[in-house]
Amino acid sequence: MSEAAFVGRGDAVAHNDETGAVKTVHRDGRNRRAVETRRKVIAAAKAMIAETSTAPTVVAVARRADVSVRSVFQHFGDVESLFVTVMDAIRQDIVVPPPGSKSRPLAVRIASVVQNLAEIFDKIVPLRVAAGQFAGHPALIERGLASKQELRAATFEAFAPEFDVLGEPAREELADAIGAALSLDAWIVLRRRDGLSFERATAVWRLTLTALLAHRFAATAAE
């Protein structure tokens, strides 16, 4: 069997005039076009979700990206796969600020946690609202659970001095309460349903987090 038989599909074969050795010349142009098409589709879907807070149709995305509907399906298979890919792309765009020093005053840490969380959530509210129609998709459920675990770990880290003095049941109960009160769904209620400004909503969260911590420690001291 000749060496040419082992050349991958999409490659061109050329012979070296001096040695007769087989060289493979990759057709990178087609790969570059595929990568560019995929980038355009993802960018178009991201923009449409940000503008409308709804999951766009494949036809609408193709029109916005200036590609064929067939190209979208070739790259993503179905609208659910496209949405999951777009969700991952949006998540990658978000820069999570590093945690500050645990030695800072509690009020400063509370304000920092709330501000950082609110800024992140404000960016992904349109995506979360748009994801409603795919709520049962396994990939979205998996990513939602992972995000909740990340936020829970960040809570323990930010308030380590306070959590360290609590017993295990009290630690878990407080973490559960903070996770429920400062969740993405809770932020959507404040910003979308109640129509609060960013500043007003963050003030509500600062008060809520301060009250939760104070209540937990007061209850612990009374035990």
Side-chain angles (χ1 to χ4, degrees):
M1 185 178 291
S2 68
E3 291 181 63
F6 292 97
V7 177
R9 295 178 61 187
D11 295 330
V13 178
H15 288 276
N16 185 304
D17 292 337
E18 296 180 359
T19 66
V22 176
K23 289 184 178 180
T24 300
V25 180
H26 296 282
R27 291 178 179 169
D28 292 332
R30 182 161 56 185
N31 292 335
R32 284 196 295 270
R33 287 194 297 274
V35 170
E36 178 60 13
T37 296
R38 185 179 179 86
R39 184 199 66 76
K40 289 168 62 177
V41 170
I42 293 173
K46 286 169 63 177
M48 296 174 76
I49 290 171
E51 293 166 3
T52 67
S53 295
T54 59
T57 65
V58 170
V59 172
V61 171
R63 186 181 300 115
R64 177 75 171 252
D66 194 25
V67 302
S68 68
V69 172
R70 180 181 178 185
S71 294
V72 177
F73 281 119
Q74 285 177 332
H75 284 276
F76 300 99
D78 53 43
V79 69
E80 290 86 357
S81 297
L82 170 59
F83 191 87
V84 172
T85 302
V86 171
M87 169 178 276
D88 289 341
I90 292 174
R91 284 164 58 92
Q92 290 173 3
D93 291 341
I94 296 173
V95 178
V96 180
S101 172
K102 302 178 185 64
S103 63
R104 295 178 302 169
L106 178 59
V108 174
R109 282 180 284 136
I110 287 174
S112 177
V113 166
V114 167
Q115 184 70 23
N116 292 340
L117 199 56
E119 289 178 357
I120 291 172
F121 281 174
D122 229 39
K123 293 176 182 176
I124 60 177
V125 161
L127 179 67
R128 176 63 180 82
V129 174
Q133 70 186 81
F134 307 125
H137 194 287
L140 297 186
I141 293 174
E142 177 186 351
R143 284 157 177 76
L145 292 174
S147 295
K148 288 180 180 179
Q149 288 303 315
E150 291 170 4
L151 292 175
R152 191 180 185 87
T155 298
F156 280 119
E157 184 174 2
F159 302 109
E162 289 73 28
F163 276 100
D164 286 346
V165 302
L166 299 175
E168 188 64 21
R171 284 167 52 87
E172 294 301 316
E173 183 182 76
L174 179 57
D176 287 343
I178 293 174
L182 274 63
S183 67
L184 177 55
D185 287 336
W187 186 250
I188 291 174
V189 168
L190 292 175
R191 297 284 279 135
R192 290 294 181 97
R193 192 197 70 183
D194 297 345
L196 299 188
S197 66
F198 182 88
E199 292 73 19
R200 180 81 176 272
T202 53
V204 170
W205 267 14
R206 286 193 299 271
L207 181 61
T208 300
L209 184 52
T210 299
L212 285 172
L213 290 167
H215 174 76
R216 179 66 270 177
F217 299 129
T220 301
E223 292 175 357

